[in-house]
Amino acid sequence: MIGDVEGGRGIDAARQARPAMADMVGTWSWDIADDRMHADDVAGSLFGADLERLAKGAPLRVFAACIHPDDRDAVIARMHQGAAQGGSFVAEFRVRDAAGRTLWVLSRARYERGGDGRPARAHGILVDMTGSALSETAYDHCVDARPGCSLEQAAEACISARAALVTADRPFLVTIVDMLLLEIGREIGRSLRRAYLRRLS
C-alpha cells in the first residue's frame, strides 16, 4: 500500500526528522471495506499518530481524532461521501501533531473502485500548508475537487505513479515523485486560496 512505512527508516529517526518535514509531502491510503488507514512517516507525524501503528493500519477514527474539532465532522463527512460515491477529495483543514501544535494541511486524494464497481480504497497526499492557509477560520471555506483542473489531474497521475513505484521498490524515483507532488500540492493550495479570495470579493 502507498502508506506502508518504506525504506527501513526507524521510528525514532522519523520523529527526529519532523522539523524538516515541511519540505516533504506525506501520503496516505484507506482500505474502505476493512476501514484500515495507512500513512507514511510524514503524514503520520502531521496527524500526530503512532508511527508504529501505521505499519499495521488503523481505523479512520484514529486519524479523525487528530483533526481539529471545528473541522473534524465536515472532513470525515466528505471522506464518507467519497467512499459512497467515488470521485476525488480535496480539502484544507487543521490537525494537531504529536507535539500538540495546530497545523494546516492540504489533502488531495482519489477513490478507486473495486470489482463490484463501488469505491474500495482511497490514495492521497498530505501537504503541510501552515503559514499559507486560506484563513484561520473553520473548514467551511474549502472548495470541492475540480475534475477539469489540470493541477488536480496531475496530482492524480502522480499518486498513481507513486503507488506503482512503491510496488516496484524504487525509493529514489519515489522521492522524485514526492518532490513533484509537494509542488503540485502547493499549487493546488494557492489555487484554492485564489478561489476563496474571489468568493470574498
Side-chain angles (χ1 to χ4, degrees), residues 9-26 40-49 51 95-105 126-130:
R9 289 175 294 171
I11 300 299
D12 292 338
R15 286 175 176 149
Q16 292 171 2
R18 176 63 187 91
M21 286 180 179
D23 294 327
M24 297 175 65
V25 61
D40 65 12
D41 294 341
V42 179
S45 292
L46 288 172
F47 271 102
L51 298 185
V95 297
R96 288 177 174 159
D97 69 4
R101 295 171 295 186
T102 297
L103 306 175
W104 278 93
V105 297
L126 198 70
V127 181
D128 186 351
M129 298 294 289
T130 305

Side-chain angles (χ1 to χ4, degrees), residues 61-93:
R61 59 180 171 77
V62 171
F63 292 85
C66 303
I67 299 175
H68 192 285
D70 290 345
D71 301 347
R72 184 180 301 137
D73 289 347
V75 173
I76 298 304
R78 182 170 291 192
M79 291 189 70
H80 282 300
Q81 179 182 8
Q85 301 176 1
S88 299
F89 169 88
V90 59
E92 188 179 50
F93 54 93

Side-chain angles (χ1 to χ4, degrees), residues 46-199:
L46 288 172
F47 271 102
D50 183 343
L51 298 185
E52 294 178 357
R53 191 173 185 183
L54 296 181
K56 299 178 181 179
L60 179 60
R61 59 180 171 77
V62 171
F63 292 85
C66 303
I67 299 175
H68 192 285
D70 290 345
D71 301 347
R72 184 180 301 137
D73 289 347
V75 173
I76 298 304
R78 182 170 291 192
M79 291 189 70
H80 282 300
Q81 179 182 8
Q85 301 176 1
S88 299
F89 169 88
V90 59
E92 188 179 50
F93 54 93
R94 291 165 290 184
V95 297
R96 288 177 174 159
D97 69 4
R101 295 171 295 186
T102 297
L103 306 175
W104 278 93
V105 297
L106 174 72
S107 186
R108 174 67 172 85
R110 63 182 174 83
Y111 290 86
E112 295 180 354
R113 297 185 182 276
D116 60 1
R118 294 184 298 181
R121 63 194 61 86
H123 298 298
I125 60 172
L126 198 70
V127 181
D128 186 351
M129 298 294 289
T130 305
S132 59
L134 300 184
S135 75
E136 295 303 319
T137 61
Y139 170 84
D140 59 6
H141 65 265
C142 288
V143 299
D144 291 327
R146 299 153 296 171
C149 173
S150 57
L151 284 172
E152 294 187 13
Q153 291 172 352
E156 291 201 2
C158 285
I159 291 170
S160 295
R162 191 186 192 282
L165 290 169
V166 169
T167 301
D169 192 22
R170 295 295 188 272
F172 177 69
L173 295 178
V174 169
T175 300
I176 292 175
V177 174
D178 279 351
M179 293 171 63
L180 181 57
L181 275 169
L182 174 63
E183 293 307 318
I184 290 174
R186 286 174 172 167
E187 287 295 328
I188 291 174
R190 294 186 188 106
S191 177
L192 288 174
R193 180 177 178 81
R194 288 192 293 269
Y196 172 64
L197 293 175
R198 283 197 296 270
R199 294 213 317 262

